[in-house]
Amino acid sequence: MFAVTATKIDADNPLNGLTAGERPDPDVPDGWTTVTVKAAALNHHDLWSLKGVGLPADRLPMILGCDAAGLDEDGNEVIVHSVIGDPGRGGGDETLDPKRSLLSEAHQGTLAEKVAAPRRNLVPKPAGLSFEEAACLPTAWLTAYRMLFDKAGLQPGASVLVQGAGGGVASAAIALASAAGYRVYATSRTEEKRERARELGADEAVETGARLPERVDAVIETVGQATWSHSLKSLRPGGRIVVSGATSGAVPPAELNRVFFLQLSVVGSTMGTRDQLERLARFLVKTGTRPVIDRTLPLSRAHEGFAAMAEGDLFGKIVFTP
């Protein structure tokens, strides 16, 4: 089968390790099955893998990709949940399983004509979502869903700031928060991306670090070091930062005096559960919300998509069709 594979780790020039070509069909352990991929989405996780983050050289070659939608062995339309874990070891939540991984870390990924996954990881794809839209959900959109509706503790009518509007999780969070009726503020360094954030449903989009019209109930933080101080200053007393990434750096000044004096909460969030993925898909159908797709490319042009992500030349998701 045709697949896009990490064949070399290069922290400085990650695309040097990207190879597209024929690979063996996936192995299918007991309790697993295969999905014929109709669409697969690109994530920053794939670039980090090429840099060796979470993917040591002794696991190469590794088919990249966490996200896919396609047909199961019976011809049913499905979305592939990419968290490989045991809910029993995580107290009912597979993301808390100490041994969890994502597809493309310990098991071959989704940027291929076929992918193997545990049977329980297959979620029915609603007819109202295209394969391309459904393929955007398992990582970025699921992460945003969990951050907003599980970790942030927001009530109806609440206010939320989303940092870094151009990112996959951030753009998903803007759209989901708007669909849920929250007051949504967003930041970006460029006016083009601020305007796109408004189109997604942000009530107001401002330059990174700019003062907001009000202090918010929660901040969706994926940028990290570059925006951390602004996130803390933008919260109302008792507010909450939910963090799922740190693309600009992971060691900002903690500003603990602000945290304890204003009784702020900092909550970590990673991915989401299979059940949350199923609810996310239903939420999109019910509200009419859809993932923003920056571009759709054939899998044979994967290098082009990876290069666009590496350069930050995108808004929304890059989707590949085998």
Side-chain angles (χ1 to χ4, degrees):
M1 66 176 184
F2 188 85
V4 175
T5 306
T7 54
K8 182 175 67 172
I9 300 300
D10 190 331
D12 296 321
N13 298 291
L15 270 63
N16 286 345
L18 190 66
T19 301
E22 292 298 314
R23 292 290 304 156
D25 284 354
D27 294 328
V28 187
D30 290 342
W32 288 45
T33 186
T34 58
V35 172
T36 300
V37 176
K38 293 295 184 181
L42 184 63
N43 292 285
H44 277 285
H45 181 275
D46 302 307
L47 275 178
W48 287 109
S49 295
L50 289 166
K51 294 179 179 182
V53 178
L55 182 63
D58 60 8
R59 293 184 191 164
L60 301 182
M62 176 65 73
I63 297 173
L64 296 169
C66 303
D67 296 353
L71 301 175
D72 70 11
E73 292 177 342
D74 297 320
N76 301 305
E77 298 184 352
V78 297
I79 308 169
V80 180
H81 178 43
S82 64
V83 179
I84 309 301
D86 182 351
R89 287 196 299 260
D93 181 338
E94 61 267 30
T95 70
L96 298 178
D97 176 1
K99 297 181 179 180
R100 78 178 190 278
S101 66
L102 299 181
L103 288 173
S104 76
E105 291 180 347
H107 306 281
Q108 300 295 324
T110 61
L111 297 186
E113 293 176 315
K114 283 189 177 182
V115 62
R119 292 184 186 277
R120 75 168 300 273
N121 282 48
L122 303 189
V123 171
K125 182 185 80 65
L129 295 178
S130 69
F131 283 112
E132 290 81 4
E133 291 165 343
C136 298
L137 304 186
T139 298
W141 278 71
L142 179 59
T143 298
Y145 180 94
R146 183 180 177 96
M147 293 175 79
L148 281 168
F149 303 136
D150 183 356
K151 299 293 187 176
L154 295 174
Q155 300 295 316
S159 58
V160 61
L161 166 64
V162 180
Q163 296 281 19
V169 174
S171 58
I174 293 168
L176 290 170
S178 177
Y182 301 150
R183 295 191 308 285
V184 185
Y185 302 101
T187 67
S188 177
R189 290 173 295 179
T190 71
E191 176 54 32
E192 179 185 3
K193 290 183 179 179
R194 292 194 293 271
E195 181 57 34
R196 295 292 297 274
R198 297 182 193 105
E199 293 171 2
L200 283 174
D203 295 275
E204 190 161 340
V206 301
E207 291 185 14
T208 302
R211 188 182 183 91
L212 302 181
E214 61 175 315
R215 289 191 176 185
V216 297
D217 297 300
V219 178
I220 300 301
E221 176 63 84
T222 60
V223 180
Q225 197 162 316
T227 56
W228 188 256
S229 181
H230 182 246
S231 292
L232 289 171
K233 292 172 183 175
S234 297
L235 281 173
R236 64 163 177 79
R240 181 176 297 186
I241 295 178
V242 184
V243 57
S244 69
T247 56
S248 68
V251 286
E255 298 190 41
L256 292 178
N257 57 334
R258 185 180 296 274
V259 172
F260 71 73
F261 187 73
L262 296 178
Q263 300 183 68
L264 307 179
S265 298
V266 177
V267 178
S269 188
T270 296
M271 296 293 290
T273 67
R274 180 209 179 277
D275 292 343
Q276 287 173 331
L277 178 57
E278 189 166 8
R279 291 200 296 272
L280 165 61
R282 291 200 299 263
F283 182 84
L284 296 191
V285 172
K286 178 70 173 179
T287 62
T289 308
R290 294 294 184 272
V292 174
I293 296 175
D294 180 85
R295 70 195 77 179
T296 301
L297 298 169
L299 196 56
S300 58
R301 290 169 60 187
H303 192 281
E304 180 181 335
F306 273 77
M309 175 165 279
E311 294 163 8
D313 180 24
L314 76 166
F315 192 100
K317 300 295 292 180
I318 294 175
V319 177
F320 299 120
T321 53

